[in-house]
Protein backbone atom coordinates (compact mmCIF):
# COMPACT_ATOMS: atom_id res chain seq x y z
CA UNK A 1 0.00 0.00 0.00
CA UNK A 2 1.40 3.38 -1.01
CA UNK A 3 0.23 6.59 0.60
CA UNK A 4 -0.28 9.81 -1.34
CA UNK A 5 -0.57 13.20 0.31
CA UNK A 6 -1.49 15.94 -2.15
CA UNK A 7 -0.51 19.30 -0.74
CA UNK A 8 -3.56 21.49 -0.22
CA UNK A 9 -3.49 24.87 -1.83
CA UNK A 10 -2.79 26.76 1.32
CA UNK A 11 -2.24 25.24 4.72
CA UNK A 12 -3.90 22.50 6.68
CA UNK A 13 -4.56 23.05 10.35
CA UNK A 14 -4.07 20.08 12.62
CA UNK A 15 -6.17 20.80 15.73
CA UNK A 16 -4.97 19.88 19.20
CA UNK A 17 -5.25 16.16 19.74
CA UNK A 18 -7.69 15.69 16.87
CA UNK A 19 -7.57 13.21 14.02
CA UNK A 20 -6.53 14.58 10.64
CA UNK A 21 -7.95 12.93 7.53
CA UNK A 22 -6.05 13.46 4.30
CA UNK A 23 -7.69 13.47 0.84
CA UNK A 24 -6.52 9.88 0.38
CA UNK A 25 -8.62 8.70 3.31
CA UNK A 26 -5.59 8.16 5.58
CA UNK A 27 -6.10 9.56 9.08
CA UNK A 28 -3.35 10.46 11.51
CA UNK A 29 -3.67 11.59 15.13
CA UNK A 30 -2.43 15.16 15.29
CA UNK A 31 0.07 16.42 17.87
CA UNK A 32 -0.92 18.95 20.47
CA UNK A 33 -0.29 21.98 18.35
CA UNK A 34 -0.58 22.56 14.66
CA UNK A 35 1.41 21.96 11.51
CA UNK A 36 1.51 24.03 8.37
CA UNK A 37 1.63 22.32 4.99
CA UNK A 38 3.40 24.94 2.85
CA UNK A 39 3.10 25.28 -0.93
CA UNK A 40 5.62 22.94 -2.48
CA UNK A 41 7.53 22.66 0.78
CA UNK A 42 8.33 19.72 3.00
CA UNK A 43 5.82 18.55 5.60
CA UNK A 44 7.59 17.50 8.79
CA UNK A 45 5.83 15.26 11.29
CA UNK A 46 6.66 15.06 15.02
CA UNK A 47 8.31 11.71 14.34
CA UNK A 48 11.05 13.47 12.41
CA UNK A 49 9.89 12.15 9.05
CA UNK A 50 9.71 14.74 6.27
CA UNK A 51 7.31 14.35 3.35
CA UNK A 52 7.80 16.27 0.10
CA UNK A 53 4.70 18.33 -0.52
CA UNK A 54 4.20 18.85 -4.28
CA UNK A 55 2.72 22.20 -5.06
CA UNK A 56 0.60 20.85 -7.88
CA UNK A 57 -0.69 17.45 -8.88
CA UNK A 58 0.41 16.21 -12.33
CA UNK A 59 -1.91 17.17 -15.17
CA UNK A 60 -3.93 14.47 -16.94
CA UNK A 61 -4.19 13.98 -20.70
CA UNK A 62 -6.79 16.75 -21.09
CA UNK A 63 -4.88 19.17 -18.92
CA UNK A 64 -7.01 18.51 -15.83
CA UNK A 65 -5.31 17.83 -12.57
CA UNK A 66 -4.93 14.10 -12.25
CA UNK A 67 -4.94 11.95 -9.12
CA UNK A 68 -2.24 12.47 -6.54
CA UNK A 69 0.98 10.58 -7.24
CA UNK A 70 2.20 7.95 -4.79
CA UNK A 71 5.09 9.13 -2.66
CA UNK A 72 7.48 6.45 -3.84
CA UNK A 73 10.91 6.58 -5.43
CA UNK A 74 9.54 6.11 -8.96
CA UNK A 75 6.75 8.57 -8.40
CA UNK A 76 9.14 11.14 -6.98
CA UNK A 77 11.31 10.83 -10.07
CA UNK A 78 8.43 11.03 -12.54
CA UNK A 79 6.83 13.94 -10.73
CA UNK A 80 10.06 15.86 -11.13
CA UNK A 81 10.68 14.85 -14.77
CA UNK A 82 10.82 17.76 -17.17
CA UNK A 83 10.89 20.31 -14.36
CA UNK A 84 14.62 20.97 -14.10
CA UNK A 85 15.79 21.29 -10.54
CA UNK A 86 12.48 20.06 -9.17
CA UNK A 87 13.35 16.56 -10.38
CA UNK A 88 16.56 16.56 -8.31
CA UNK A 89 14.77 17.60 -5.16
CA UNK A 90 12.13 14.92 -5.69
CA UNK A 91 14.83 12.26 -6.05
CA UNK A 92 16.51 13.44 -2.87
CA UNK A 93 13.21 13.29 -1.00
CA UNK A 94 12.14 9.88 -2.32
CA UNK A 95 13.85 7.74 0.38
CA UNK A 96 12.08 9.75 3.05
CA UNK A 97 8.78 9.18 1.32
CA UNK A 98 9.01 5.45 1.86
CA UNK A 99 9.54 6.00 5.57
CA UNK A 100 6.65 8.45 5.62
CA UNK A 101 4.35 5.86 4.10
CA UNK A 102 5.21 3.38 6.84
CA UNK A 103 4.69 5.99 9.54
CA UNK A 104 1.34 7.08 8.14
CA UNK A 105 0.13 3.48 7.83
CA UNK A 106 1.02 3.00 11.49
CA UNK A 107 -0.73 6.26 12.38
CA UNK A 108 -3.78 5.24 10.40
CA UNK A 109 -4.14 2.13 12.57
CA UNK A 110 -3.76 4.21 15.70
CA UNK A 111 -6.37 6.69 14.45
CA UNK A 112 -8.92 3.90 14.11
CA UNK A 113 -8.37 3.10 17.79
CA UNK A 114 -8.68 6.80 18.66
CA UNK A 115 -11.95 7.12 16.79
CA UNK A 116 -13.27 4.04 18.59
CA UNK A 117 -12.23 5.47 21.96
CA UNK A 118 -13.36 9.03 21.27
CA UNK A 119 -16.18 8.78 18.71
CA UNK A 120 -17.35 12.33 19.43
CA UNK A 121 -14.17 14.04 18.19
CA UNK A 122 -15.12 16.25 15.27
CA UNK A 123 -13.69 19.35 13.67
CA UNK A 124 -16.56 21.76 14.11
CA UNK A 125 -16.51 25.35 15.36
CA UNK A 126 -17.72 25.90 18.89
CA UNK A 127 -18.56 28.86 21.06
CA UNK A 128 -15.73 29.70 23.42
CA UNK A 129 -16.07 28.33 26.93
CA UNK A 130 -17.03 31.01 29.47
CA UNK A 131 -16.24 30.63 33.16
CA UNK A 132 -17.05 32.92 36.04
CA UNK A 133 -14.22 34.29 38.16
CA UNK A 134 -14.95 31.95 41.06
CA UNK A 135 -14.84 28.95 38.73
CA UNK A 136 -11.42 29.92 37.35
CA UNK A 137 -10.10 30.45 40.87
CA UNK A 138 -11.38 27.08 42.00
CA UNK A 139 -9.59 25.38 39.10
CA UNK A 140 -6.38 27.19 40.06
CA UNK A 141 -6.73 26.32 43.74
CA UNK A 142 -7.36 22.67 42.86
CA UNK A 143 -3.99 22.66 41.05
CA UNK A 144 -2.00 24.13 43.93
CA UNK A 145 -1.98 27.76 42.77
CA UNK A 146 -2.31 30.27 45.61
CA UNK A 147 -5.51 32.35 45.45
CA UNK A 148 -7.49 34.27 48.05
CA UNK A 149 -9.75 32.26 50.34
CA UNK A 150 -13.32 32.64 49.11
CA UNK A 151 -16.89 31.36 49.20
CA UNK A 152 -19.72 31.70 46.69
CA UNK A 153 -23.21 32.80 47.72
CA UNK A 154 -26.51 33.03 45.88
CA UNK A 155 -28.45 34.83 48.65
CA UNK A 156 -27.77 37.66 51.08
CA UNK A 157 -28.01 35.27 54.03
CA UNK A 158 -25.44 32.90 52.46
CA UNK A 159 -23.16 35.90 51.84
CA UNK A 160 -23.35 36.86 55.53
CA UNK A 161 -22.50 33.31 56.62
CA UNK A 162 -19.60 33.21 54.17
CA UNK A 163 -18.21 36.49 55.50
CA UNK A 164 -18.40 35.21 59.06
CA UNK A 165 -16.71 31.91 58.14
CA UNK A 166 -13.79 33.72 56.46
CA UNK A 167 -12.81 35.49 59.71
CA UNK A 168 -10.80 37.91 57.61
CA UNK A 169 -9.61 41.39 58.59
CA UNK A 170 -11.16 42.74 55.42
CA UNK A 171 -13.60 41.24 52.93
CA UNK A 172 -14.09 41.85 49.22
CA UNK A 173 -17.53 41.21 47.71
CA UNK A 174 -17.65 40.69 43.93
CA UNK A 175 -20.68 40.34 41.68
CA UNK A 176 -20.23 37.35 39.38
CA UNK A 177 -20.92 38.16 35.74
CA UNK A 178 -18.84 37.41 32.64
CA UNK A 179 -18.46 41.06 31.58
CA UNK A 180 -15.53 43.25 32.62
CA UNK A 181 -15.68 46.66 34.26
CA UNK A 182 -17.67 45.42 37.26
CA UNK A 183 -16.02 47.84 39.69
CA UNK A 184 -17.48 50.86 37.86
CA UNK A 185 -20.80 49.26 36.99
CA UNK A 186 -24.24 50.32 38.22
CA UNK A 187 -27.08 48.09 39.49
CA UNK A 188 -30.72 48.78 38.69
CA UNK A 189 -31.20 48.60 42.48
CA UNK A 190 -29.32 51.90 42.69
CA UNK A 191 -26.09 50.41 44.06
CA UNK A 192 -22.94 51.70 42.38
CA UNK A 193 -20.07 49.27 41.78
CA UNK A 194 -20.00 45.49 41.48
CA UNK A 195 -16.91 45.19 43.73
CA UNK A 196 -16.91 46.38 47.36
CA UNK A 197 -14.51 46.24 50.30
CA UNK A 198 -15.67 46.11 53.90
CA UNK A 199 -14.55 44.89 57.33
CA UNK A 200 -18.10 44.24 58.60
CA UNK A 201 -19.86 40.97 57.67
CA UNK A 202 -23.22 42.73 58.20
CA UNK A 203 -22.31 45.17 55.43
CA UNK A 204 -21.64 42.20 53.17
CA UNK A 205 -25.23 41.06 53.75
CA UNK A 206 -26.65 44.52 52.96
CA UNK A 207 -24.58 44.85 49.80
CA UNK A 208 -25.51 41.35 48.64
CA UNK A 209 -29.21 42.24 48.98
CA UNK A 210 -28.65 45.06 46.45
CA UNK A 211 -26.65 42.81 44.09
CA UNK A 212 -28.27 39.39 43.85
CA UNK A 213 -31.28 39.34 41.56
CA UNK A 214 -30.55 42.79 40.13
CA UNK A 215 -29.03 43.75 36.79
CA UNK A 216 -25.48 45.11 36.66
CA UNK A 217 -24.62 47.39 33.74
CA UNK A 218 -20.98 47.87 32.75
CA UNK A 219 -19.15 49.16 29.68
CA UNK A 220 -19.14 45.58 28.35
CA UNK A 221 -22.83 44.75 28.82
CA UNK A 222 -25.96 45.89 27.06
CA UNK A 223 -27.83 48.94 28.33
CA UNK A 224 -30.11 46.71 30.41
CA UNK A 225 -27.16 44.94 32.03
CA UNK A 226 -26.82 41.35 33.21
CA UNK A 227 -28.66 39.74 36.13
CA UNK A 228 -26.36 38.85 39.03
CA UNK A 229 -27.18 35.40 40.38
CA UNK A 230 -24.10 34.79 42.53
CA UNK A 231 -21.54 36.80 44.47
CA UNK A 232 -18.03 35.85 45.55
CA UNK A 233 -17.14 36.61 49.16
CA UNK A 234 -13.35 36.60 49.45
CA UNK A 235 -10.57 37.50 51.84
CA UNK A 236 -9.11 40.91 50.95
CA UNK A 237 -5.32 41.03 50.96
CA UNK A 238 -2.97 44.00 50.78
CA UNK A 239 -0.69 44.04 47.74
CA UNK A 240 2.80 45.41 48.20
CA UNK A 241 3.90 44.67 44.62
CA UNK A 242 1.85 44.01 41.50
CA UNK A 243 2.95 42.33 38.28
CA UNK A 244 1.26 40.89 35.23
CA UNK A 245 1.86 37.29 34.20
CA UNK A 246 0.38 35.16 31.44
CA UNK A 247 0.99 31.89 29.63
CA UNK A 248 -0.49 31.64 26.16
CA UNK A 249 -0.29 29.45 23.08
CA UNK A 250 1.80 31.19 20.45
CA UNK A 251 1.60 30.04 16.83
CA UNK A 252 5.00 31.49 15.89
CA UNK A 253 6.69 29.48 18.64
CA UNK A 254 4.60 26.33 18.03
CA UNK A 255 3.86 26.15 21.73
CA UNK A 256 3.22 28.10 24.93
CA UNK A 257 5.06 31.32 25.77
CA UNK A 258 5.23 33.23 29.04
CA UNK A 259 4.61 36.95 29.17
CA UNK A 260 5.45 39.07 32.22
CA UNK A 261 5.36 42.77 32.97
CA UNK A 262 6.48 44.48 36.21
CA UNK A 263 4.19 47.29 37.28
CA UNK A 264 6.38 49.50 39.42
CA UNK A 265 8.04 48.31 42.61
CA UNK A 266 11.57 47.09 43.07
CA UNK A 267 13.60 45.82 40.11
CA UNK A 268 13.80 42.04 39.92
CA UNK A 269 17.61 42.22 40.20
CA UNK A 270 17.32 44.01 43.55
CA UNK A 271 14.75 41.50 44.77
CA UNK A 272 17.10 38.65 43.81
CA UNK A 273 19.83 40.18 46.00
CA UNK A 274 17.80 41.38 48.98
CA UNK A 275 14.99 38.79 49.15
CA UNK A 276 15.87 35.71 47.08
CA UNK A 277 13.17 33.68 48.81
CA UNK A 278 10.53 35.76 47.02
CA UNK A 279 11.98 34.72 43.67
CA UNK A 280 11.65 31.07 44.65
CA UNK A 281 8.04 31.61 45.76
CA UNK A 282 7.16 33.31 42.50
CA UNK A 283 8.94 30.58 40.53
CA UNK A 284 6.97 27.94 42.42
CA UNK A 285 3.67 29.63 41.50
CA UNK A 286 4.75 30.01 37.87
CA UNK A 287 5.62 26.31 37.70
CA UNK A 288 2.19 25.44 39.07
CA UNK A 289 0.50 27.78 36.59
CA UNK A 290 2.41 26.16 33.74
CA UNK A 291 1.44 22.66 34.89
CA UNK A 292 -2.16 23.89 35.13
CA UNK A 293 -1.92 25.32 31.59
CA UNK A 294 -0.87 21.94 30.20
CA UNK A 295 -3.18 19.77 32.29
CA UNK A 296 -6.42 21.60 31.48
CA UNK A 297 -5.66 22.15 27.76
CA UNK A 298 -5.64 25.92 28.14
CA UNK A 299 -4.77 28.31 25.36
CA UNK A 300 -4.30 31.19 27.79
CA UNK A 301 -3.88 31.65 31.54
CA UNK A 302 -3.71 35.33 32.40
CA UNK A 303 -3.08 36.53 35.97
CA UNK A 304 -3.56 40.23 36.64
CA UNK A 305 -2.49 41.14 39.19
CA UNK A 306 0.08 38.50 40.02
CA UNK A 307 0.94 40.07 43.37
CA UNK A 308 2.98 39.86 46.52
CA UNK A 309 1.54 40.62 49.96
CA UNK A 310 3.43 42.54 52.69
CA UNK A 311 3.94 39.14 54.38
CA UNK A 312 5.81 37.84 51.33
CA UNK A 313 3.02 35.61 50.01
CA UNK A 314 2.75 35.36 46.20
CA UNK A 315 -0.93 35.30 45.17
CA UNK A 316 -2.90 35.13 41.93
CA UNK A 317 -5.50 37.79 42.67
CA UNK A 318 -7.47 37.63 39.46
CA UNK A 319 -7.32 35.29 36.50
CA UNK A 320 -8.73 34.66 33.07
CA UNK A 321 -8.47 31.21 31.49
CA UNK A 322 -9.19 30.32 27.86
CA UNK A 323 -9.52 26.71 26.80
CA UNK A 324 -8.91 24.68 23.67
CA UNK A 325 -12.44 23.76 22.65
CA UNK A 326 -11.16 20.76 20.68
CA UNK A 327 -10.18 19.20 24.02
CA UNK A 328 -13.74 19.12 25.33
CA UNK A 329 -13.82 15.32 25.08
CA UNK A 330 -10.91 15.17 27.53
CA UNK A 331 -11.98 18.04 29.84
CA UNK A 332 -15.60 17.11 30.39
CA UNK A 333 -15.65 18.28 34.02
CA UNK A 334 -14.42 21.76 33.11
CA UNK A 335 -16.69 22.15 30.08
CA UNK A 336 -19.67 21.11 32.19
CA UNK A 337 -19.08 24.37 34.11
CA UNK A 338 -19.83 26.47 31.02
CA UNK A 339 -22.11 29.34 32.05
CA UNK A 340 -24.60 30.09 29.27
CA UNK A 341 -27.12 31.86 31.47
CA UNK A 342 -25.97 35.30 30.35
CA UNK A 343 -26.40 34.54 26.65
CA UNK A 344 -29.44 35.52 24.67
CA UNK A 345 -31.70 32.47 24.18
CA UNK A 346 -31.19 32.69 20.41
CA UNK A 347 -27.40 32.42 20.90
CA UNK A 348 -27.80 29.24 22.93
CA UNK A 349 -30.16 27.83 20.30
CA UNK A 350 -27.62 28.64 17.56
CA UNK A 351 -24.82 26.97 19.53
CA UNK A 352 -26.77 23.68 19.48
CA UNK A 353 -26.17 23.56 15.72
CA UNK A 354 -22.57 24.84 15.87
CA UNK A 355 -23.62 28.26 14.61
CA UNK A 356 -22.17 31.49 16.00
CA UNK A 357 -24.87 34.11 16.41
CA UNK A 358 -24.70 37.64 17.78
CA UNK A 359 -27.79 39.85 17.67
CA UNK A 360 -27.53 43.46 16.45
CA UNK A 361 -29.99 46.35 16.18
CA UNK A 362 -30.63 46.48 12.42
CA UNK A 363 -33.10 44.85 10.03
CA UNK A 364 -30.90 43.06 7.44
CA UNK A 365 -29.94 39.54 8.54
CA UNK A 366 -26.41 38.37 7.60
CA UNK A 367 -25.90 34.71 6.73
CA UNK A 368 -22.15 34.22 6.22
CA UNK A 369 -19.36 31.64 6.55
CA UNK A 370 -16.32 32.85 8.46
CA UNK A 371 -16.05 35.51 11.15
CA UNK A 372 -13.94 37.85 9.01
CA UNK A 373 -16.39 37.70 6.10
CA UNK A 374 -19.28 38.21 8.52
CA UNK A 375 -17.72 41.40 9.88
CA UNK A 376 -16.98 42.64 6.36
CA UNK A 377 -20.59 41.94 5.37
CA UNK A 378 -21.90 43.92 8.35
CA UNK A 379 -19.58 46.81 7.44
CA UNK A 380 -20.56 46.96 3.77
CA UNK A 381 -24.26 46.88 4.66
CA UNK A 382 -23.67 49.90 6.91
CA UNK A 383 -21.62 51.67 4.21
CA UNK A 384 -24.54 51.32 1.82
CA UNK A 385 -26.98 52.85 4.27
CA UNK A 386 -28.39 49.70 5.86
CA UNK A 387 -28.18 48.21 9.34
CA UNK A 388 -27.21 44.56 10.04
CA UNK A 389 -29.63 42.65 12.26
CA UNK A 390 -27.14 40.02 13.34
CA UNK A 391 -23.77 38.38 12.95
CA UNK A 392 -24.29 34.72 11.98
CA UNK A 393 -21.24 32.62 11.14
CA UNK A 394 -21.82 29.17 9.63
CA UNK A 395 -18.19 28.09 9.95
CA UNK A 396 -16.42 25.66 7.63
CA UNK A 397 -17.97 22.19 8.04
CA UNK A 398 -21.53 23.28 7.26
CA UNK A 399 -24.31 20.85 6.40
CA UNK A 400 -27.76 21.35 4.88
CA UNK A 401 -29.41 20.92 8.28
CA UNK A 402 -27.36 23.80 9.68
CA UNK A 403 -28.43 26.05 6.79
CA UNK A 404 -32.06 25.20 7.52
CA UNK A 405 -31.66 25.93 11.24
CA UNK A 406 -29.85 29.18 10.48
CA UNK A 407 -32.78 30.37 8.35
CA UNK A 408 -35.16 29.31 11.09
CA UNK A 409 -33.28 31.48 13.59
CA UNK A 410 -33.11 34.46 11.25
CA UNK A 411 -36.79 34.40 10.29
CA UNK A 412 -37.83 34.11 13.95
CA UNK A 413 -36.42 37.60 14.60
CA UNK A 414 -39.27 40.11 14.10
CA UNK A 415 -36.77 42.87 13.27
CA UNK A 416 -35.51 41.09 10.15
CA UNK A 417 -36.89 42.63 6.93
CA UNK A 418 -34.37 41.10 4.49
CA UNK A 419 -31.74 38.35 4.45
CA UNK A 420 -28.33 38.64 2.81
CA UNK A 421 -26.48 35.37 2.17
CA UNK A 422 -22.77 35.88 1.49
CA UNK A 423 -20.80 32.65 1.05
CA UNK A 424 -17.24 32.16 -0.09
CA UNK A 425 -16.86 28.45 -0.76
CA UNK A 426 -13.34 27.45 0.12
CA UNK A 427 -13.97 24.60 2.53
CA UNK A 428 -17.72 25.14 2.18
CA UNK A 429 -19.48 23.53 -0.78
CA UNK A 430 -21.77 26.16 -2.36
CA UNK A 431 -24.14 23.43 -3.62
CA UNK A 432 -24.81 22.35 -0.03
CA UNK A 433 -25.66 25.94 0.85
CA UNK A 434 -27.96 26.23 -2.17
CA UNK A 435 -29.82 23.02 -1.29
CA UNK A 436 -30.20 24.19 2.30
CA UNK A 437 -31.50 27.60 1.16
CA UNK A 438 -34.14 26.14 -1.16
CA UNK A 439 -35.33 23.68 1.47
CA UNK A 440 -35.56 26.41 4.11
CA UNK A 441 -37.39 28.83 1.81
CA UNK A 442 -39.95 26.19 0.83
CA UNK A 443 -40.61 24.75 4.29
CA UNK A 444 -40.48 28.01 6.25
CA UNK A 445 -42.43 29.95 3.63
CA UNK A 446 -39.97 32.82 3.60
CA UNK A 447 -41.78 36.17 3.50
CA UNK A 448 -38.82 38.61 3.41
CA UNK A 449 -36.55 39.47 0.45
CA UNK A 450 -33.56 37.14 0.03
CA UNK A 451 -30.32 38.24 -1.65
CA UNK A 452 -27.69 35.56 -2.32
CA UNK A 453 -24.06 35.97 -3.29
CA UNK A 454 -22.12 32.72 -3.75
CA UNK A 455 -18.53 32.28 -4.85
CA UNK A 456 -16.07 29.38 -4.84
CA UNK A 457 -16.43 25.59 -4.70
CA UNK A 458 -19.27 24.24 -6.86
CA UNK A 459 -20.67 27.72 -7.42
CA UNK A 460 -22.08 26.95 -10.88
CA UNK A 461 -24.01 23.95 -9.57
CA UNK A 462 -25.27 26.10 -6.69
CA UNK A 463 -26.45 28.81 -9.07
CA UNK A 464 -28.27 26.18 -11.14
CA UNK A 465 -30.03 24.84 -8.02
CA UNK A 466 -31.20 28.33 -7.03
CA UNK A 467 -32.30 29.36 -10.53
CA UNK A 468 -34.31 26.17 -11.06
CA UNK A 469 -35.96 26.35 -7.64
CA UNK A 470 -38.56 28.85 -8.84
CA UNK A 471 -38.13 30.83 -5.62
CA UNK A 472 -37.97 34.66 -5.56
CA UNK A 473 -34.24 34.78 -4.83
CA UNK A 474 -32.18 37.80 -5.92
CA UNK A 475 -28.68 36.85 -7.08
CA UNK A 476 -25.71 39.19 -6.67
CA UNK A 477 -22.41 39.34 -8.55
CA UNK A 478 -20.22 40.41 -5.62
CA UNK A 479 -20.45 41.56 -2.02
CA UNK A 480 -21.09 45.24 -2.80
CA UNK A 481 -23.78 44.35 -5.31
CA UNK A 482 -25.38 42.07 -2.70
CA UNK A 483 -25.31 44.78 -0.02
CA UNK A 484 -26.88 47.37 -2.35
CA UNK A 485 -29.66 44.98 -3.36
CA UNK A 486 -30.37 44.01 0.27
CA UNK A 487 -30.55 47.65 1.37
CA UNK A 488 -32.75 48.52 -1.62
CA UNK A 489 -35.15 45.65 -0.84
CA UNK A 490 -35.73 47.07 2.64
CA UNK A 491 -36.09 50.63 1.35
CA UNK A 492 -38.91 49.52 -1.01
CA UNK A 493 -41.00 48.56 2.01
Amino acid sequence: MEVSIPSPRGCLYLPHWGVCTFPTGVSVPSPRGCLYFPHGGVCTFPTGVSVPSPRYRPRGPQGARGPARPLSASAGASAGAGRGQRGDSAKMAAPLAGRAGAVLRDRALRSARLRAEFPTVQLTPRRWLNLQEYQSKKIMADHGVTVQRFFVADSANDALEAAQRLKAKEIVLKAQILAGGRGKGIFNSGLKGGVHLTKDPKTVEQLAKQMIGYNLSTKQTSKDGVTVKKVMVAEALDISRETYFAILMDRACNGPVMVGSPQGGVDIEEVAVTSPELIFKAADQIKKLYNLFLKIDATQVEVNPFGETPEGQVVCFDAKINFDDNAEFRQKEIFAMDDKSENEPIENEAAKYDLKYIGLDGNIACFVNGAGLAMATCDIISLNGGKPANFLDLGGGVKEAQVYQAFKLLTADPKVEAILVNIFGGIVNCAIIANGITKACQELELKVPLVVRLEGTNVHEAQRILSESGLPITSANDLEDAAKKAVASVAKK
Side-chain angles (χ1 to χ4, degrees):
M1 169 186 172
E2 290 184 306
V3 179
S4 302
I5 308 178
S7 170
R9 180 160 184 184
C11 55
L12 180 66
Y13 236 112
L14 302 195
H16 300 189
W17 300 105
V19 175
C20 307
T21 302
F22 291 90
T24 56
V26 174
S27 299
V28 297
S30 82
R32 184 178 183 192
C34 58
L35 295 173
Y36 266 163
F37 279 41
H39 294 267
V42 173
C43 308
T44 304
F45 291 88
T47 56
V49 174
S50 296
V51 181
S53 171
R55 183 166 185 174
Y56 299 108
R57 304 185 210 172
R59 290 187 179 274
Q62 286 77 37
R65 301 206 183 279
R69 294 280 190 137
L71 293 179
S72 61
S74 59
S78 61
R83 298 184 189 174
Q85 294 181 350
R86 287 193 185 182
D88 295 334
S89 62
K91 289 177 184 178
M92 293 172 63
L96 291 173
R99 289 165 55 201
V103 170
L104 289 177
R105 284 194 293 272
D106 177 61
R107 295 262 176 181
L109 293 173
R110 292 187 196 177
S111 72
R113 291 196 294 271
L114 270 178
R115 288 195 297 273
E117 186 177 355
F118 304 116
T120 59
V121 175
Q122 53 182 330
L123 310 184
T124 52
R126 291 186 176 276
R127 186 180 67 84
W128 285 350
L129 172 64
N130 285 321
L131 295 185
Q132 299 284 3
E133 178 189 2
Y134 75 89
Q135 294 173 314
S136 295
K137 284 192 170 180
K138 183 180 185 305
I139 291 172
M140 295 173 76
D142 289 345
H143 288 81
V145 177
T146 302
V147 298
Q148 299 151 283
R149 293 185 298 120
F150 70 90
F151 296 103
V152 180
D154 54 14
S155 70
N157 187 56
D158 287 347
L160 171 62
E161 291 181 7
Q164 292 170 337
R165 287 169 62 193
L166 278 174
K167 296 180 181 178
K169 292 180 181 178
E170 193 169 21
I171 301 160
V172 59
L173 181 67
K174 290 186 174 185
Q176 295 298 286
I177 63 171
L178 296 171
R182 291 173 294 173
K184 296 181 179 179
I186 299 175
F187 285 89
N188 60 356
S189 65
L191 179 67
K192 293 184 178 180
V195 179
H196 288 266
L197 285 167
T198 180
K199 295 181 179 179
D200 184 4
K202 287 286 186 183
T203 304
V204 171
E205 181 183 26
Q206 294 303 315
L207 289 168
K209 283 181 181 178
Q210 299 176 74
M211 289 185 177
I212 298 172
Y214 291 96
N215 284 14
L216 173 60
S217 300
T218 78
K219 59 184 180 182
Q220 292 187 12
T221 68
S222 66
K223 183 176 63 175
D224 295 332
V226 176
T227 303
V228 174
K229 298 180 179 179
K230 295 179 185 291
V231 293
M232 185 175 76
V233 185
E235 176 186 26
L237 298 173
D238 292 327
I239 304 176
S240 60
R241 182 168 180 263
E242 290 188 25
T243 63
Y244 169 92
F245 179 75
I247 306 171
L248 52 99
M249 194 65 72
D250 184 72
R251 186 177 296 174
C253 297
N254 271 341
V257 296
M258 296 185 184
V259 179
S261 173
Q263 298 293 323
V266 185
D267 288 339
I268 195 69
E269 292 85 358
E270 184 179 338
V271 175
V273 173
T274 58
S275 305
E277 70 279 0
L278 295 183
I279 299 293
F280 295 133
K281 289 179 181 177
D284 179 61
Q285 289 300 301
I286 289 171
K287 282 171 62 179
K288 288 177 178 177
L289 285 167
Y290 185 72
N291 290 334
L292 165 72
F293 179 89
L294 296 179
K295 190 171 181 180
I296 64 175
D297 289 294
T299 56
Q300 175 180 307
V301 173
E302 183 182 50
V303 181
N304 188 24
F306 184 50
E308 173 196 337
T309 68
E311 294 76 29
Q313 186 181 24
V314 177
V315 180
C316 297
F317 285 92
D318 204 350
K320 179 180 180 181
I321 305 176
N322 290 344
F323 299 86
D324 175 9
D325 290 332
N326 291 309
E328 180 178 356
F329 70 97
R330 195 169 49 239
Q331 303 291 347
K332 293 186 184 298
E333 188 175 334
I334 289 176
F335 277 78
M337 298 163 68
D338 191 7
D339 188 346
K340 300 177 182 176
S341 62
E342 294 181 21
N343 296 344
E344 292 293 330
I346 193 170
E347 291 180 25
N348 290 333
E349 185 67 19
K352 292 179 183 177
Y353 305 101
D354 293 319
L355 301 170
K356 294 182 176 68
Y357 182 97
I358 298 173
L360 300 173
D361 297 328
N363 56 0
I364 299 176
C366 303
F367 180 89
V368 188
N369 67 310
L373 192 59
M375 288 188 286
T377 304
C378 290
D379 286 344
I380 204 162
I381 287 173
S382 298
L383 285 171
N384 282 278
K387 290 185 177 180
N390 66 275
F391 175 110
L392 192 150
D393 175 15
L394 280 171
V398 64
K399 298 179 177 63
E400 281 185 35
Q402 287 173 290
V403 177
Y404 177 84
Q405 293 299 332
F407 263 83
K408 197 172 178 181
L409 290 169
L410 296 178
T411 53
D413 185 348
K415 300 195 308 293
V416 170
E417 297 179 21
I419 297 175
L420 170 54
V421 176
N422 182 26
I423 300 294
F424 183 81
I427 300 173
V428 172
N429 186 332
C430 290
I432 291 176
I433 299 294
N435 283 324
I437 289 173
T438 54
K439 179 183 177 184
C441 289
Q442 291 165 349
E443 295 188 14
L444 298 173
E445 298 180 355
L446 189 66
K447 294 181 175 61
V448 297
L450 173 62
V451 180
V452 178
R453 179 257 182 172
L454 299 173
E455 191 60 69
T457 305
N458 247 354
V459 66
H460 297 301
E461 173 65 12
Q463 289 170 343
R464 184 193 64 78
I465 292 169
L466 294 178
S467 64
E468 294 179 3
S469 68
L471 295 166
I473 298 172
T474 303
S475 296
N477 299 322
D478 53 41
L479 177 51
E480 185 161 7
D481 182 40
K484 287 179 178 177
K485 288 177 176 176
V487 173
S489 71
V490 172
K492 288 178 183 177
K493 293 187 175 184

